[in-house]
Amino acid sequence: AVVSTQSTGTIAIFTAVFLLCYLPYFLMQLLLLSELYGLLEISGVIYLNPVVKWYGTLVSNCLMRVNAALNPCLYLMRMPQYRRWLRAICSHPRKCLSILANPRKVEEIFV
């Protein structure tokens, strides 16, 4: 029950971070597509300001990269097994080569 609760919490955190980081991108894409197909004219907006397009695209792309950078940090904070494997890889880089040769032996190598 404890593992299930921790897994649920971890999935909730990852989902929330993903949504926060990718929501501006999805909204910007919707705005750009609605401008492309003339849907903004219906609502009274004829076109998007080019500055809004540029900054919106810049911010959304930056947040997508922030999400990619946060994922390993979240893994390190939430998953002890991930910490153990990362510590083992950093302390014994030669073991990485044996993992690449036979990925099924990860549990045997990093115990």
Side-chain angles (χ1 to χ4, degrees), residues 88 95-100 102 105-111:
K95 289 185 178 182
C96 294
L97 297 175
S98 60
I99 290 174
L100 292 174
N102 192 356
K105 292 189 175 183
V106 172
E107 286 293 334
E108 295 173 15
I109 294 171
F110 296 118
V111 181

Side-chain angles (χ1 to χ4, degrees), residues 35-98:
E35 181 189 33
L36 180 67
Y37 290 112
L39 297 175
L40 290 179
E41 294 174 5
I42 296 170
S43 64
V45 178
I46 297 173
Y47 68 95
L48 283 176
N49 189 340
V51 175
V52 171
K53 287 183 198 177
W54 191 84
Y55 278 115
T57 305
L58 176 71
V59 167
S60 63
N61 285 334
C62 287
L63 282 173
M64 287 172 22
R65 273 125 183 113
V66 165
N67 183 48
L70 281 177
N71 278 340
C73 299
L74 290 172
Y75 277 118
L76 285 173
M77 288 189 312
R78 297 290 298 179
M79 299 181 176
Q81 185 178 17
Y82 188 81
R83 281 192 297 262
R84 189 178 68 230
W85 286 349
L86 187 63
R87 193 177 305 121
I89 288 171
C90 291
S91 62
H92 304 289
R94 291 181 191 233
K95 289 185 178 182
C96 294
L97 297 175
S98 60

Side-chain angles (χ1 to χ4, degrees), residues 11-56:
I11 290 171
I13 289 171
F14 274 89
T15 304
V17 169
F18 173 82
L19 288 175
L20 287 174
C21 291
Y22 273 82
L23 190 63
Y25 171 77
F26 293 135
L27 292 177
M28 194 65 206
Q29 293 304 312
L30 282 173
L31 280 174
L32 293 174
L33 284 173
S34 60
E35 181 189 33
L36 180 67
Y37 290 112
L39 297 175
L40 290 179
E41 294 174 5
I42 296 170
S43 64
V45 178
I46 297 173
Y47 68 95
L48 283 176
N49 189 340
V51 175
V52 171
K53 287 183 198 177
W54 191 84
Y55 278 115

